[in-house]
């Protein structure tokens, strides 16, 4: 159940927007003017009618109490999720009870709420039944796994030969060959049912002619792919944890099998990345009691945002179970005991030197790790020639920002938040530098989303 007196901030609402245009349009609808018959319930439902261009107003209803993030229903034709009307209604609700008073939901809203909760219960029942039935054919599952392993081994062996041919002919040949050769190789890895290898090969193809120093970057990536190939081909000799990491990097599916950790999980960051096939949402959590960091992944089809949405600054009491693999932070969200609510909690931080050392230590468990989640304490954003860095307020060490971070508007939000004073920053620290995702000012103040 949602706590009716605890409301989200405008920033937390706008963090749900699928794009900048939706944020702008939703902000315009966050006032009482276009709304009528708006109301809310103690169960965490918000509803209202929004005047549009047609004769009938749009019916908008939101279940704010869903522990996995709000669920929406709107009669408008928009394919965006959430639409601008849902964002506007949430902004209206976030402003206080005056515009969205407590009341009884109208029939059209109540029907959606009841139907949705009934389907959720049916899914839980089906999942429970399926988990028992899934163990009914272990021999068939074993044979399928063996056939896939044979295909992956063939693909890894072929990839090793292609890497050897590349190095034998010289890296300059990669620039002349163009991207087509790599796309063909990636397709072969897809046929071999090794999507992790396919993704790394596609990245390999984007390196030639990508700027000064590309041969060095190409050689580094070739070495990492070679290491992954060899890890697969010799997986029986690896420790169990590292073997699980290799299987995960190859792209084999796995289920969260670690013990569930019940905690109050603070949402540190949420951001989306997209390719030609799907949108991936990454949500970083911090366990306020356990001190654990966990990564939730959620996926959506091209053009649609993933369903799981947990805006920065919220906290939820839930169980989280880890995926297999040494040093792996990916986890699955399990049973949720309360809906997300705003929180003033902040994660503990470290210095920039400690952050770099943490990444170095993590590479021992997972050599293919691009970055690790880190909270930097008391750092100041400062220019560094044509670049930017985060410098310790009490020291002479600093971490450079990644190229992607320097090109985002979030950099200027961070600079404005700091104003030359120390701030606490959560982000991802890796061999390319530091990517800030969320920041907090000194003293009191809400989290500021930077991505």
């Amino acid at each position: 159940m949602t706590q009716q007196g605890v409301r989200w901030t405008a920033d937390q609402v706008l963090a749900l927007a699928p794009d900048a245009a939706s944020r702008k349009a939703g902000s315009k609808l966050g006032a009482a003017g276009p709304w009528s018959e708006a109301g809310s319930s103690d169960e965490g439902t918000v509803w209202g009618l929004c005047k549009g261009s047609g004769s009938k107003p749009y019916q908008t209803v939101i279940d704010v109490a869903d522990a996995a993030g709000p669920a929406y229903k709107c009669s408008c034709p928009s394919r965006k999720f959430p639409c601008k009307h849902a964002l506007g209604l949430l902004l209206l609700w976030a402003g206080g009870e005056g515009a969205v008073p407590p009341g009884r939901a109208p029939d059209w809203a109540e029907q959606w709420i009841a139907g949705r909760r009934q389907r959720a219960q049916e899914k839980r029942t089906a999942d429970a039944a399926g988990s028992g039935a899934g163990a009914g054919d272990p021999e068939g599952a074993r044979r399928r796994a063996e056939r896939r392993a044979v295909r992956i081994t063939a693909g890894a062996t072929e990839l090793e030969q292609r890497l050897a041919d590349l190095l034998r002919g010289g890296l300059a040949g990669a620039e002349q060959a163009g991207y087509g050769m790599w796309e063909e190789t990636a397709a072969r890895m897809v046929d071999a049912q090794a999507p992790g290898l396919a993704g790394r090969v596609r990245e390999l193809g984007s390196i030639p002619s990508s700027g000064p120093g590309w041969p060095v970057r190409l050689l580094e990536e070739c070495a990492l792919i070679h290491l992954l190939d060899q890890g697969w081909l010799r997986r029986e000799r690896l420790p169990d944890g590292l073997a699980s990491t290799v299987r995960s990097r190859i792209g084999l599916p796995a289920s969260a099998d670690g013990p569930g950790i019940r905690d109050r999980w603070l949402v540190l960051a949420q951001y989306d990345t997209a390719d030609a096939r799907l949108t991936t949402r990454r949500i970083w959590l911090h366990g306020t009691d356990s001190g654990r960091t966990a990564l939730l992944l959620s996926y959506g089809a091209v053009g649609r945002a993933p369903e799981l949405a947990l805006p920065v600054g919220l906290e939820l009491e839930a169980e989280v179970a880890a995926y297999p693999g040494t040093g792996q932070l990916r986890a699955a969200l399990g049973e949720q005991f309360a809906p997300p609510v705003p929180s003033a909690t902040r994660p503990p931080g470290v210095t920039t030197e400690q952050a770099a050392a943490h990444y170095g230590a993590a590479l021992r468990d997972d050599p293919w790790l691009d970055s690790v989640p880190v909270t930097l304490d008391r750092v100041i954003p400062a220019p560094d020639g044509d670049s930017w860095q985060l410098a310790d307020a009490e020291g002479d060490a600093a971490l450079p920002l990644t190229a992607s971070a320097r090109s985002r508007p979030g950099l200027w939000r961070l600079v404005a938040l700091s104003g030359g004073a120390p701030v606490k920053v959560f982000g991802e620290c890796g061999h390319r530098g530091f990517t800030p995702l969320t920041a907090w000012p000194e003293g009191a103040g809400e989290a500021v989303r930077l991505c």
Side-chain angles (χ1 to χ4, degrees), residues 5 24 47 56 170 172 179 184 191 235 349 351 396 417:
K24 183 176 180 180
W47 61 84
K56 292 184 178 181
Y179 188 75
E184 179 207 349
D191 292 341
R235 60 193 181 280
T351 66
D396 55 3
L417 178 70

Side-chain angles (χ1 to χ4, degrees), residues 1 7 54 266 296 309 346 410 416:
M1 301 298 175
R7 294 175 185 265
L266 173 67
L296 305 180
R346 299 184 180 190

Side-chain angles (χ1 to χ4, degrees), residues 352-402:
T352 58
E353 286 186 337
Q354 290 170 327
H358 177 48
Y359 175 59
L363 288 174
R364 291 198 299 264
D365 294 328
D366 184 355
W368 307 277
L369 194 63
D370 285 330
S371 61
V372 293
V374 173
T375 300
L376 299 177
D377 208 11
R378 293 185 56 77
V379 290
I380 301 172
D384 179 25
D386 294 333
S387 184
W388 282 80
Q389 62 183 4
L390 292 177
D392 289 321
E394 290 90 16
D396 55 3
L399 283 175
L401 296 190
T402 59

